[in-house]
Amino acid sequence: MTAIPHRPIGRTGLTVPELGFGAASLGNLYAPVSDADARGAIDAALAAGLRYVDTAPHYGRGLSERRVGEAVRLQPDVVISTKVGRLMDPDPSVTDDRERDGFRSPMPFRMRYDYSHDGILRSHEHSLQRLGVARVDLLYVHDIGGYTHGDAAGGYWQQLTTGGGLKALERLRDEGSIAGFGVGVNEIQVCLDVMQEARLDAILLAGRYTLLEQNALDALFPACAAAGTSIVIGGPYNSGILATGTKRGGTLHYDYGPAPETVVAKVRGIEAVADRHGVRLPAAALAFVLAHPQVASVIPGIGSAARVAQTVELYREAIPAAFWQELRAAGLLRADAPVPEDAA
Ligand SMILES: NC(=O)c1ccc[n+]([C@@H]2O[C@H](COP(=O)([O-])OP(=O)(O)OC[C@H]3O[C@@H](n4cnc5c(N)ncnc54)[C@H](OP(=O)(O)O)[C@@H]3O)[C@@H](O)[C@H]2O)c1
């Protein structure tokens, strides 16, 4: 089996495998994952060459970071990204694993946003302790912007800019404590805004460049090409619907909630083309984003060893050129979105 190719991250000198591991699932996102299954998933991922792991303090209020750290600690050449912007305050009232902020985690903490200079330095230190590692490679400013904060976004923006948050990240990068930093968000405009304030090495863009939507081609990707900023694609299945398709029963998931009918209709259209060409929808979802030269890695959410094996198989699936041509001709894909055949 050929190794998974690596791609550079900005100007950091760091490379990451183009298929990485999104560890939100290991924080018990929506459903509990046992310690054994979590360990099995990440061990299988590392063995298969998915040696870029993305985690965050938010993912199960520290649970994902603890699990990732246990698995990667003695492993060479694993690139780790985690995030800043949320601090975990002790909360003795948490005594069960009922869902809080989307996670079924028993970790007794309460999340507090803090994008200030001191908040970011503290968050970085806390992450090293929870992971039990001496260094993380990349830090993403997590969920800055109106998508998460609504009317409160302005205050957090002040913390990050005039409040010295970005200065703290520049300091960590300048002194070599991290290789690079960027933002990890679900919206495009805030990426452009932060790029006006600092030189970003990478942007973790979740759900906003997928088989379903390509608006990032308008301004963001050209700006990243000009600035030397790499893109890591989070949420490549838009939370599930591009992995499951529309034909199974039950709720179809799109962007952390039930899929709206317009989205279901578009996925049905893509699915019909995929069926005609014998292509599996999630295989197309992974191959599509990797065809863009600005994209360094795609990190689907994976919660079990079986899912790792299935994901690697999907990643390696051969997709006929006629599939992409038909998607374009049917108006289901923007004509200017690169597809794997363009690079061949
Ligand atoms: N703001 C940010 O920085 C941000 C935001 C979102 C995501 N991210 C990153 O991106 C990663 C991935 O995002 P995500 O987990 O939210 O979304 P995603 O990868 O788009 O979707 C994950 C969902 O797809 C399902 N799935 C995965 N592979 C499947 C398959 N082969 N067949 C059927 N279903 C499959 C999973 O189901 P199961 O649960 O059954 O496996 C899970 O519910 C995260 O772990 C995180 O690292 C970052």
Side-chain angles (χ1 to χ4, degrees):
M1 189 65 71
T2 51
I4 296 176
H6 280 228
R7 300 184 183 187
I9 289 283
R11 300 174 193 144
T12 59
L14 204 65
T15 67
V16 289
E18 59 184 31
L19 182 64
F21 185 94
S25 48
L26 303 195
N28 293 356
L29 181 61
Y30 304 126
V33 176
S34 71
D35 286 336
D37 284 352
R39 184 60 187 262
I42 193 158
D43 283 350
L46 296 176
L50 285 69
R51 298 179 80 82
Y52 167 41
V53 183
D54 175 65
T55 182
H58 178 49
Y59 298 162
R61 302 185 306 284
L63 184 62
S64 172
E65 287 189 327
R66 286 173 64 103
R67 288 170 160 174
V68 167
E70 287 298 319
V72 304
R73 190 164 307 127
L74 295 174
Q75 292 264 348
D77 307 326
V78 178
V79 175
I80 303 172
S81 57
T82 189
K83 311 208 177 70
V84 290
R86 288 176 173 93
L87 291 171
M88 299 296 133
D89 293 332
D91 182 357
S93 76
V94 177
T95 55
D96 57 41
D97 71 352
R98 97 176 71 120
E99 190 174 315
R100 294 172 177 86
D101 301 323
F103 292 90
R104 294 279 309 271
S105 168
M107 296 287 278
F109 297 94
R110 192 182 326 112
M111 168 279 275
R112 174 166 54 87
Y113 293 110
D114 190 339
Y115 295 92
S116 69
H117 182 273
D118 288 1
I120 280 176
L121 293 182
R122 282 182 70 194
S123 182
H124 174 238
E125 282 181 9
H126 290 182
S127 287
L128 294 181
Q129 299 291 335
R130 272 191 299 265
L131 282 153
V133 299
R135 178 187 168 84
V136 295
D137 301 284
L138 297 167
L139 284 177
Y140 297 117
V141 179
H142 203 179
D143 292 339
I144 189 78
Y147 183 95
T148 301
H149 298 299
D151 291 344
Y156 295 125
W157 178 256
Q158 294 299 325
Q159 288 185 340
L160 186 68
T161 53
T162 50
L166 290 171
K167 286 275 171 297
L169 289 161
E170 283 166 348
R171 186 176 133 192
L172 290 170
R173 181 172 63 189
D174 289 347
E175 70 192 21
S177 299
I178 55 173
F181 71 87
V183 295
V185 294
N186 295 71
E187 59 189 310
I188 290 172
Q189 185 56 47
V190 78
C191 301
L192 292 162
D193 294 344
V194 178
M195 288 177 83
Q196 296 294 318
E197 307 287 331
R199 178 174 70 75
L200 305 187
D201 302 285
I203 289 173
L204 197 183
L205 186 64
R208 298 287 77 80
Y209 189 70
T210 69
L211 261 189
L212 277 172
E213 50 190 282
Q214 293 102 40
N215 291 344
L217 292 171
D218 292 330
L220 181 59
F221 283 11
C224 288
T229 303
S230 295
I231 298 286
V232 170
I233 298 289
Y237 305 133
N238 282 109
S239 296
I241 193 163
L242 286 174
T244 60
T246 65
K247 292 172 201 155
R248 63 155 217 196
T251 308
L252 301 173
H253 294 286
Y254 170 80
D255 281 10
Y256 316 106
E261 193 41 51
T262 48
V263 167
V264 176
K266 184 162 185 189
V267 176
R268 278 204 192 101
I270 298 171
E271 252 177 338
V273 179
D275 287 350
R276 272 196 289 284
H277 293 276
V279 169
R280 285 181 291 179
L281 186 63
L286 297 178
F288 170 66
V289 297
L290 285 172
H292 199 289
Q294 212 56 39
V295 171
S297 187
V298 58
I299 51 167
I302 300 177
S304 68
R307 192 69 97 203
V308 170
Q310 191 185 19
T311 303
V312 171
E313 204 187 293
L314 290 164
Y315 158 77
R316 294 194 186 280
E317 183 166 314
I319 299 180
F323 165 73
W324 304 111
Q325 286 156 10
E326 192 176 337
L327 279 188
R328 274 182 176 159
L332 289 164
L333 201 59
R334 269 178 60 157
D336 58 342
V339 296
E341 296 315 309
D342 296 336

